[in-house]
Amino acid sequence: MESDNSRGNESSLKSRVTWLTLLVFLLLAYILVDKFGLLDRFTQPSQAEFVENAQVKLDSVAEQLNLRLVQIKKLGGKVNELEKAKAQILGDQKHLSDIDPAEFQKKLSYYLHLLGQKDAEIKKLKKENVVLILRNDSLSREAQILKVGLVNIQKALEDSSKTFGLKERELSEKSRVLEIRNKELTEKVSAAAALRAEGVNVYAISSRGKESSVNNQKARKVDKIRVMFHLQENTLANKEIKTVFLRIIEPTGTTISDYNLGSGTFDFKGRELTFTSRQRIFYENNHQSVEFIYSRPNGFKAGKHEIELYAEGYLIGLGTFEVR
């Protein structure tokens, strides 16, 4: 009887040792799997799933960036940073299979941060445009009052010469005063109807036709630029062909000009000014975009350059760019 009990205890002990050995083996296996990251490999999504999800996210971000780009361009703001981001997204999409997930997450965070910045910029531009619209309305009302005054003066001039039998000297004196006032009012109306350029931006164009911001680029590498701006709407301005003159003034104060490339001179308030380039456009009064493409084979001088735009005897816009 004691022998049977002994054999039973021995069998139970062996069973327990076997189970403990198995548990120790499983524990060691788990530690090794966790240490060498094998568990993560089984739980992480496949590369194909990562590429598919990343593509969807980049498509969504690209669409949102494009919406902001259209809004900012319509409001007259700069879009070179958004255009650069769009180009980066296209590059990322071509190499998704090679990109590290952590690096992709950094890129995605940058694009989302950029979207937030551009939303704030759009709000600021909208506020600025409201101010410009109010100013334009004020100028329009003032010009309308001036027009009414001009008509009244012209009518008074006609009535005075027909109705009243004034002496020749008195009539001549009154006519001279009215003509002076008429001229002053005409000049004020013309000034109110003058074109106004806004959002003057300058881009460098590479030999491959790629555009980027001209600022802080090396002077010897910039041989072609694009000057772009918008013409404000003006209810007093006529829809017709107008000539716009562009002046690019170097850091030394000299106006860039090359008569072989179309440069010349024009009259401005009794002075003869040299212009770099000119362009005839049809003014449509719809906040239209205008651009000048100007090539300078010898490059631009290092330093700050001034941009001046003229039309119909008025300075209509200013801008700057700087190369090093």
Side-chain angles (χ1 to χ4, degrees):
M1 178 69 72
E2 291 181 357
S3 177
D4 291 338
N5 290 336
S6 176
R7 281 196 298 269
N9 291 336
E10 183 179 353
S11 175
S12 176
L13 180 61
K14 286 183 179 181
S15 176
R16 291 178 183 178
V17 169
T18 300
W19 278 107
L20 285 174
T21 302
L22 180 60
L23 288 174
V24 169
F25 175 77
L26 290 174
L27 180 61
L28 288 174
Y30 178 81
I31 292 173
L32 289 173
V33 168
D34 182 63
K35 180 178 180 181
F36 291 102
L38 298 176
L39 187 62
D40 291 340
R41 296 184 185 179
F42 290 108
T43 59
Q44 288 181 349
S46 67
Q47 182 67 12
E49 291 176 339
F50 164 72
V51 171
E52 183 179 356
N53 292 334
Q55 182 68 50
V56 171
K57 292 178 180 178
L58 288 180
D59 286 342
S60 178
V61 170
E63 182 180 357
Q64 294 300 318
L65 285 176
N66 192 58
L67 290 174
R68 271 67 167 185
L69 187 148
V70 172
Q71 285 182 286
I72 291 177
K73 184 179 290 186
K74 187 176 181 180
L75 292 170
K78 297 179 180 180
V79 297
N80 52 307
E81 190 175 9
L82 286 170
E83 291 175 340
K84 182 180 178 181
K86 285 182 62 179
Q88 289 177 345
I89 289 177
L90 290 176
D92 293 340
Q93 290 175 323
K94 292 179 181 178
H95 301 90
L96 281 176
S97 58
D98 303 325
I99 195 170
D100 181 71
E103 181 65 23
F104 171 77
Q105 193 60 40
K106 290 181 180 179
K107 289 177 177 287
L108 187 62
S109 297
Y110 164 73
Y111 296 138
L112 294 176
H113 178 68
L114 181 61
L115 283 173
Q117 288 183 325
K118 295 307 171 182
D119 285 338
E121 184 177 337
I122 288 171
K123 290 182 180 178
K124 180 181 178 182
L125 287 171
K126 285 182 177 179
K127 291 181 180 178
E128 292 175 350
N129 275 266
V130 169
V131 174
L132 289 173
I133 291 172
L134 292 175
R135 181 187 171 198
N136 188 53
D137 290 342
S138 177
L139 287 173
S140 298
R141 287 193 296 270
E142 182 180 346
Q144 190 64 34
I145 293 172
L146 291 173
K147 274 190 173 183
V148 172
L150 178 60
V151 171
N152 291 336
I153 290 173
Q154 290 173 336
K155 187 176 185 300
L157 181 60
E158 294 174 358
D159 292 343
S160 64
S161 61
K162 294 178 181 179
T163 306
F164 303 100
L166 301 175
K167 294 180 181 180
E168 184 176 352
R169 184 176 179 179
E170 294 175 343
L171 182 60
S172 176
E173 184 66 18
K174 287 187 176 182
S175 296
R176 187 173 69 85
V177 172
L178 288 172
E179 286 176 358
I180 292 173
R181 292 181 65 187
N182 186 24
K183 182 179 179 181
E184 291 175 350
L185 287 172
T186 300
E187 289 175 352
K188 289 183 179 181
V189 172
S190 297
L195 301 183
R196 293 287 183 272
E198 64 180 10
V200 180
N201 293 313
V202 184
Y203 303 94
I205 304 176
S206 68
S207 58
R208 297 181 178 179
K210 184 179 180 180
E211 291 188 9
S212 59
S213 175
V214 71
N215 288 315
N216 295 322
Q217 294 203 31
K218 293 183 179 180
R220 59 185 176 82
K221 291 188 176 182
V222 180
D223 55 9
K224 182 184 290 187
I225 62 173
R226 178 167 71 99
V227 180
M228 181 180 176
F229 55 92
H230 292 83
L231 293 176
Q232 291 182 2
E233 296 181 15
N234 190 337
T235 55
L236 299 176
N238 295 324
K239 292 184 179 181
E240 58 186 11
I241 294 177
K242 299 179 186 291
T243 301
V244 180
F245 296 94
L246 166 68
R247 298 184 76 211
I248 304 176
I249 304 171
E250 294 179 320
T252 58
T254 304
T255 300
I256 296 176
S257 63
D258 188 339
Y259 287 83
N260 293 326
L261 296 177
S263 299
T265 60
F266 66 100
D267 181 73
F268 178 71
K269 295 184 178 180
R271 293 187 300 143
E272 190 176 68
L273 296 182
T274 300
F275 65 85
T276 306
S277 182
R278 66 180 172 185
Q279 187 176 165
R280 284 168 59 84
I281 64 166
F282 184 84
Y283 178 67
E284 298 177 352
N285 200 5
N286 62 352
H287 197 257
Q288 69 199 82
S289 173
V290 181
E291 66 178 26
F292 282 83
I293 304 294
Y294 187 75
S295 299
R296 188 164 175 77
N298 296 328
F300 293 82
K301 293 182 179 179
K304 186 177 181 180
H305 292 66
E306 302 289 340
I307 297 290
E308 294 181 354
L309 298 165
Y310 295 80
E312 300 180 309
Y314 294 94
L315 175 63
I316 66 170
L318 297 170
T320 62
F321 70 92
E322 187 169 356
V323 292
R324 55 186 173 86

